[in-house]
Amino acid sequence: MANMFYEKDCDLGKLDGKKIAIIGYGSQGHAHALNLKESGCDVCVGLRAGSKNWAAAEKAGLQVKTVAEAAKWGDIVMILVNDEVQAEVYKKEIASNLEAGNTLMFAHGFNIHYKQIVPPKDVDVVMIAPKGPGHTVRSTYVNGKGVPCLIAVEQNPTGKAYDVGLAYAAGIGGARGGVMETTFDDETETDLFGEQAVLCGGVVELMKMGFETLVEAGYAPENAYFECIHEMKLIIDLINKGGVAMMNYSISDTAEYGEYVSGPRILPYDETKKNMKAVLTDIQNGKFAGKWIAENKNGRTFFNSSRAILAKHPMETVGAELRRNMLWGDDTDPDTASN
């Protein structure tokens, strides 16, 4: 069993007297900054001059500086801008402002693992990776709970990296849920694989094909949406709470029988496993990272066209119309939740 840490194992006092610079104010950035502030930490947000999020961060009661100013100010610098821009931001605005004994933090290992960022040897390098979206990190903290986190230490010249990392995890609420020890390498590769093969790539393709199959067979798109997409969350919530056993306990025996006889027909074990192993190999050997880095350097043509095609898919347009007509008054648009 991996090492697990909880609030009793984390001393928030290890952050006393330390200044924490949060670089970025998106989904994760706003959550980390606000949670740490409300945990009594000295926090500022680092943004590029003219950022649309500057006013939002100030309105939330946070001090805001440019990225370079924040990096120079902070004893702990947490980089929470998108993976694809981290290396450029680091090289241009953070690297020259780091001092010996500082802590450089990440919420994902991509840029360290693939050596897009190579920190100086005299700074601690730590990862605190919440296993949930930033808006959930914020909402669970406000409700007195927390999203579980991963902790990894890549460099520890001060000998205090674990103490500081665990204190940071407690400050954002992660220790309420549990903090599991891992490595930058393992977090990066398993995270990318999970996203591509199951959580995002796999699930979206499965829902899309199910939706199309029903519509092509003559069923109403609205019915197809409800059965293949809307109910996905309800099923996953059950699994998240009590594993597949709880899902099977909650669904009908008919549905459970269909799980056993039809699931393997949809995803043939040998073929699917072979393809998953190929995806994992591309992640392990850096092929995926290389393609993603090149995609960003070359105008994101494939990425942008794929996003546009998906936006026009009936699964998306029908779903948007149905959601507008559902009485989900307490839902929040992720794009505005940080404001």
Side-chain angles (χ1 to χ4, degrees), residues 23 67 71 77 79 89-98 104:
I23 309 302
V67 173
V77 180
I79 303 180
V89 171
Y90 173 81
K91 290 167 187 172
K92 288 184 176 180
E93 304 189 66
I94 296 175
S96 62
N97 290 303
L98 291 176
L104 184 64

Side-chain angles (χ1 to χ4, degrees), residues 77-291:
V77 180
M78 168 61 99
I79 303 180
L80 292 173
V81 295
N82 291 352
D83 288 337
E84 65 271 18
V85 300
Q86 282 188 16
E88 181 180 3
V89 171
Y90 173 81
K91 290 167 187 172
K92 288 184 176 180
E93 304 189 66
I94 296 175
S96 62
N97 290 303
L98 291 176
E99 298 179 359
N102 283 171
T103 302
L104 184 64
M105 281 194 170
F106 299 84
H108 180 37
F110 186 97
N111 280 279
I112 293 294
H113 179 55
Y114 294 115
K115 303 191 185 312
Q116 299 302 295
I117 293 176
V118 181
K121 295 298 182 183
D122 56 4
V123 303
D124 290 347
V125 179
V126 181
M127 177 173 59
I128 297 296
K131 300 317 293 176
H135 303 98
T136 306
V137 173
R138 179 62 182 152
S139 63
T140 53
Y141 177 92
V142 169
N143 290 329
K145 299 180 180 179
V147 171
C149 293
L150 301 180
I151 181 172
V153 172
E154 184 77 3
Q155 293 183 184
N156 189 12
T158 69
K160 301 175 182 177
Y162 279 100
D163 288 342
V164 170
L166 288 171
Y168 185 100
I172 63 173
R176 299 171 183 174
V179 183
M180 188 181 85
E181 186 176 14
T182 186
T183 66
F184 270 74
D185 292 354
D186 285 1
E187 185 278 337
T188 302
E189 293 176 2
T190 57
D191 185 75
L192 291 174
F193 176 80
E195 290 169 349
Q196 294 173 35
V198 182
L199 305 177
C200 304
V203 165
V204 170
E205 286 302 306
L206 192 62
M207 291 191 300
K208 187 193 301 181
M209 286 189 283
F211 178 91
E212 290 175 352
T213 299
L214 287 177
V215 171
E216 289 165 6
Y219 298 100
E222 293 79 7
N223 281 43
Y225 180 85
F226 272 119
E227 298 301 336
C228 296
I229 300 167
H230 171 76
E231 290 194 40
M232 179 69 76
K233 180 184 185 305
L234 310 180
I235 293 297
I236 293 303
D237 283 348
L238 291 170
I239 295 174
N240 190 52
K241 187 175 182 180
V244 176
M246 177 167 279
M247 178 196 76
N248 286 339
Y249 173 80
S250 301
I251 63 178
S252 69
D253 286 353
T254 306
E256 185 178 353
Y257 177 70
E259 169 192 337
Y260 301 140
V261 299
S262 297
R265 294 178 65 191
I266 301 302
L267 297 172
Y269 185 89
D270 290 340
E271 183 178 350
T272 303
K273 199 73 167 289
K274 178 182 176 182
N275 290 336
M276 283 188 168
K277 287 181 177 179
V279 169
L280 180 57
T281 297
D282 285 353
I283 291 168
Q284 292 171 326
N285 64 22
K287 183 176 180 180
F288 168 78
K291 289 173 67 175

Side-chain angles (χ1 to χ4, degrees), residues 11-25 28-47 57 61-80 94 98 101-107 126 128 141 163-173:
D11 181 4
L12 196 56
K14 298 295 183 181
L15 299 181
D16 290 349
K18 292 189 179 293
K19 295 174 287 188
I20 306 174
I22 303 297
I23 309 302
Y25 197 69
Q28 289 289 339
H30 91 282
H32 289 230
L34 291 172
N35 292 5
L36 288 165
K37 179 176 182 289
E38 292 173 18
S39 291
C41 300
D42 189 6
V43 182
C44 87
V45 174
L47 296 172
L62 294 159
Q63 59 175 319
V64 186
K65 302 175 183 290
T66 66
V67 173
E69 290 170 343
K72 188 174 184 63
W73 174 87
D75 303 301
I76 299 169
V77 180
M78 168 61 99
I79 303 180
L80 292 173
I94 296 175
L98 291 176
N102 283 171
T103 302
L104 184 64
M105 281 194 170
F106 299 84
V126 181
I128 297 296
Y141 177 92
D163 288 342
V164 170
L166 288 171
Y168 185 100
I172 63 173

